[in-house]
Short mmCIF file of all heavy atoms in Angstrom, two decimals:
data_model
loop_
_atom_site.label_atom_id
_atom_site.label_comp_id
_atom_site.label_asym_id
_atom_site.label_seq_id
_atom_site.Cartn_x
_atom_site.Cartn_y
_atom_site.Cartn_z
N MET A 16 28.06 -69.56 -12.45
CA MET A 16 28.47 -70.81 -11.82
C MET A 16 29.00 -70.49 -10.43
O MET A 16 29.91 -69.68 -10.28
CB MET A 16 29.56 -71.48 -12.68
CG MET A 16 30.24 -72.67 -12.07
SD MET A 16 31.49 -73.32 -13.22
CE MET A 16 32.33 -74.48 -12.15
N CYS A 17 28.40 -71.07 -9.41
CA CYS A 17 28.81 -70.86 -8.02
C CYS A 17 29.58 -72.08 -7.54
O CYS A 17 29.08 -73.21 -7.62
CB CYS A 17 27.59 -70.61 -7.14
SG CYS A 17 27.97 -70.46 -5.39
N VAL A 18 30.79 -71.86 -7.01
CA VAL A 18 31.66 -72.95 -6.56
C VAL A 18 31.99 -72.75 -5.09
O VAL A 18 32.49 -71.68 -4.71
CB VAL A 18 32.96 -73.02 -7.39
CG1 VAL A 18 33.80 -74.22 -6.95
CG2 VAL A 18 32.66 -73.10 -8.87
N GLY A 19 31.72 -73.76 -4.27
CA GLY A 19 32.12 -73.71 -2.87
C GLY A 19 33.61 -74.01 -2.75
O GLY A 19 34.15 -74.87 -3.44
N THR A 20 34.31 -73.30 -1.86
CA THR A 20 35.76 -73.43 -1.77
C THR A 20 36.20 -74.51 -0.78
O THR A 20 37.40 -74.71 -0.61
CB THR A 20 36.38 -72.09 -1.37
OG1 THR A 20 35.80 -71.65 -0.12
CG2 THR A 20 36.13 -71.04 -2.43
N TYR A 21 35.27 -75.19 -0.13
CA TYR A 21 35.61 -76.28 0.79
C TYR A 21 35.07 -77.59 0.24
O TYR A 21 34.06 -77.62 -0.48
CB TYR A 21 35.03 -76.02 2.18
CG TYR A 21 35.87 -75.10 3.04
CD1 TYR A 21 35.81 -73.72 2.87
CD2 TYR A 21 36.72 -75.61 4.02
CE1 TYR A 21 36.58 -72.87 3.66
CE2 TYR A 21 37.49 -74.77 4.81
CZ TYR A 21 37.41 -73.40 4.62
OH TYR A 21 38.18 -72.55 5.39
N LEU A 22 35.76 -78.67 0.57
CA LEU A 22 35.24 -79.98 0.22
C LEU A 22 33.82 -80.13 0.73
O LEU A 22 33.52 -79.68 1.85
CB LEU A 22 36.13 -81.08 0.84
CG LEU A 22 37.44 -81.36 0.12
CD1 LEU A 22 38.38 -82.15 1.03
CD2 LEU A 22 37.20 -82.13 -1.17
N PRO A 23 32.90 -80.71 -0.08
CA PRO A 23 33.09 -81.49 -1.31
C PRO A 23 33.02 -80.67 -2.60
O PRO A 23 32.75 -81.23 -3.66
CB PRO A 23 31.93 -82.48 -1.26
CG PRO A 23 30.83 -81.71 -0.59
CD PRO A 23 31.51 -80.82 0.42
N PHE A 24 33.27 -79.35 -2.54
CA PHE A 24 33.33 -78.49 -3.72
C PHE A 24 32.06 -78.58 -4.57
O PHE A 24 32.11 -78.81 -5.78
CB PHE A 24 34.55 -78.84 -4.58
CG PHE A 24 35.86 -78.69 -3.87
CD1 PHE A 24 36.77 -79.73 -3.85
CD2 PHE A 24 36.19 -77.51 -3.21
CE1 PHE A 24 37.99 -79.61 -3.19
CE2 PHE A 24 37.41 -77.38 -2.55
CZ PHE A 24 38.31 -78.44 -2.55
N GLN A 25 30.92 -78.39 -3.92
CA GLN A 25 29.66 -78.40 -4.67
C GLN A 25 29.56 -77.19 -5.57
O GLN A 25 30.02 -76.10 -5.22
CB GLN A 25 28.47 -78.44 -3.71
CG GLN A 25 28.24 -79.80 -3.09
CD GLN A 25 26.91 -79.91 -2.39
OE1 GLN A 25 26.22 -78.91 -2.20
NE2 GLN A 25 26.52 -81.11 -2.00
N THR A 26 28.96 -77.38 -6.72
CA THR A 26 28.79 -76.29 -7.69
C THR A 26 27.31 -76.12 -8.01
O THR A 26 26.56 -77.10 -8.03
CB THR A 26 29.57 -76.58 -8.98
OG1 THR A 26 29.18 -77.86 -9.49
CG2 THR A 26 31.06 -76.58 -8.74
N THR A 27 26.91 -74.89 -8.27
CA THR A 27 25.54 -74.59 -8.66
C THR A 27 25.59 -73.72 -9.91
O THR A 27 26.37 -72.77 -9.98
CB THR A 27 24.79 -73.85 -7.54
OG1 THR A 27 24.92 -74.58 -6.32
CG2 THR A 27 23.32 -73.70 -7.88
N TYR A 28 24.77 -74.07 -10.89
CA TYR A 28 24.77 -73.39 -12.18
C TYR A 28 23.41 -72.73 -12.39
O TYR A 28 22.36 -73.34 -12.14
CB TYR A 28 25.04 -74.37 -13.32
CG TYR A 28 26.23 -75.27 -13.09
CD1 TYR A 28 26.11 -76.44 -12.35
CD2 TYR A 28 27.48 -74.96 -13.61
CE1 TYR A 28 27.18 -77.28 -12.12
CE2 TYR A 28 28.57 -75.79 -13.39
CZ TYR A 28 28.41 -76.94 -12.65
OH TYR A 28 29.50 -77.77 -12.43
N TYR A 29 23.43 -71.49 -12.88
CA TYR A 29 22.22 -70.74 -13.16
C TYR A 29 22.22 -70.38 -14.65
O TYR A 29 23.10 -69.65 -15.11
CB TYR A 29 22.16 -69.46 -12.32
CG TYR A 29 22.28 -69.69 -10.82
CD1 TYR A 29 23.52 -69.79 -10.21
CD2 TYR A 29 21.15 -69.81 -10.03
CE1 TYR A 29 23.64 -70.01 -8.85
CE2 TYR A 29 21.25 -70.02 -8.66
CZ TYR A 29 22.50 -70.12 -8.08
OH TYR A 29 22.61 -70.34 -6.72
N LEU A 30 21.23 -70.89 -15.38
CA LEU A 30 21.14 -70.59 -16.80
C LEU A 30 19.70 -70.32 -17.18
O LEU A 30 18.77 -70.55 -16.39
CB LEU A 30 21.73 -71.71 -17.65
CG LEU A 30 21.25 -73.14 -17.39
CD1 LEU A 30 21.15 -73.91 -18.69
CD2 LEU A 30 22.24 -73.87 -16.48
N ASN A 31 19.49 -69.85 -18.41
CA ASN A 31 18.17 -69.47 -18.88
C ASN A 31 17.96 -69.98 -20.29
O ASN A 31 18.82 -69.80 -21.16
CB ASN A 31 18.00 -67.94 -18.84
CG ASN A 31 16.56 -67.51 -18.95
OD1 ASN A 31 15.90 -67.77 -19.94
ND2 ASN A 31 16.07 -66.85 -17.92
N GLY A 32 16.81 -70.65 -20.52
CA GLY A 32 16.53 -71.20 -21.83
C GLY A 32 16.42 -70.15 -22.92
O GLY A 32 16.70 -70.43 -24.09
N HIS A 33 16.01 -68.93 -22.58
CA HIS A 33 15.88 -67.87 -23.57
C HIS A 33 17.23 -67.47 -24.17
O HIS A 33 17.31 -67.10 -25.34
CB HIS A 33 15.20 -66.65 -22.96
CG HIS A 33 13.72 -66.83 -22.74
ND1 HIS A 33 13.21 -67.42 -21.63
CD2 HIS A 33 12.66 -66.51 -23.53
CE1 HIS A 33 11.90 -67.45 -21.71
NE2 HIS A 33 11.53 -66.90 -22.85
N ASN A 34 18.30 -67.55 -23.37
CA ASN A 34 19.63 -67.23 -23.89
C ASN A 34 20.07 -68.25 -24.93
O ASN A 34 20.68 -67.90 -25.94
CB ASN A 34 20.63 -67.18 -22.74
CG ASN A 34 20.32 -66.09 -21.74
OD1 ASN A 34 19.70 -65.09 -22.08
ND2 ASN A 34 20.75 -66.26 -20.50
N PHE A 35 19.78 -69.52 -24.68
CA PHE A 35 20.10 -70.56 -25.67
C PHE A 35 19.32 -70.35 -26.96
O PHE A 35 19.87 -70.46 -28.07
CB PHE A 35 19.78 -71.93 -25.08
CG PHE A 35 19.81 -73.05 -26.07
CD1 PHE A 35 21.03 -73.58 -26.49
CD2 PHE A 35 18.64 -73.57 -26.59
CE1 PHE A 35 21.06 -74.61 -27.42
CE2 PHE A 35 18.67 -74.60 -27.52
CZ PHE A 35 19.88 -75.12 -27.93
N MET A 36 18.04 -70.01 -26.85
CA MET A 36 17.21 -69.78 -28.03
C MET A 36 17.72 -68.60 -28.85
O MET A 36 17.70 -68.63 -30.08
CB MET A 36 15.76 -69.56 -27.60
CG MET A 36 15.11 -70.78 -26.95
SD MET A 36 13.63 -70.36 -26.00
CE MET A 36 12.59 -69.70 -27.29
N GLU A 37 18.17 -67.57 -28.16
CA GLU A 37 18.70 -66.39 -28.86
C GLU A 37 19.90 -66.76 -29.73
O GLU A 37 19.99 -66.32 -30.89
CB GLU A 37 19.10 -65.33 -27.82
CG GLU A 37 19.69 -64.07 -28.42
CD GLU A 37 20.09 -63.06 -27.37
OE1 GLU A 37 19.87 -63.33 -26.17
OE2 GLU A 37 20.62 -61.99 -27.75
N ILE A 38 20.81 -67.57 -29.20
CA ILE A 38 21.98 -67.97 -29.97
C ILE A 38 21.59 -68.84 -31.15
O ILE A 38 22.12 -68.69 -32.27
CB ILE A 38 22.97 -68.71 -29.04
CG1 ILE A 38 23.55 -67.74 -28.02
CG2 ILE A 38 24.10 -69.37 -29.84
CD1 ILE A 38 24.47 -68.37 -27.01
N GLU A 39 20.62 -69.74 -30.94
CA GLU A 39 20.16 -70.60 -32.04
C GLU A 39 19.57 -69.78 -33.18
O GLU A 39 19.85 -70.03 -34.35
CB GLU A 39 19.13 -71.61 -31.51
CG GLU A 39 19.71 -72.73 -30.69
CD GLU A 39 20.55 -73.67 -31.52
OE1 GLU A 39 20.10 -74.06 -32.62
OE2 GLU A 39 21.68 -73.99 -31.10
N LEU A 40 18.75 -68.79 -32.85
CA LEU A 40 18.12 -67.97 -33.89
C LEU A 40 19.16 -67.12 -34.63
O LEU A 40 19.05 -66.94 -35.85
CB LEU A 40 17.05 -67.08 -33.27
CG LEU A 40 15.81 -67.79 -32.71
CD1 LEU A 40 14.83 -66.77 -32.13
CD2 LEU A 40 15.11 -68.61 -33.78
#
């Protein structure tokens, strides 16, 4: 999760569907 420290404090999230599948299995 990337968070900018100045207003408007935009955030960017990086995730992967394979990680979710691994937990489900």
Side-chain angles (χ1 to χ4, degrees):
M16 172 180 169
C17 175
V18 183
T20 57
Y21 278 80
L22 282 164
F24 300 127
Q25 284 192 349
T26 54
T27 308
Y28 311 84
Y29 304 85
L30 52 143
N31 196 298
H33 286 85
N34 297 334
F35 169 78
M36 295 162 62
E37 179 180 358
I38 292 176
E39 286 292 314
L40 293 180

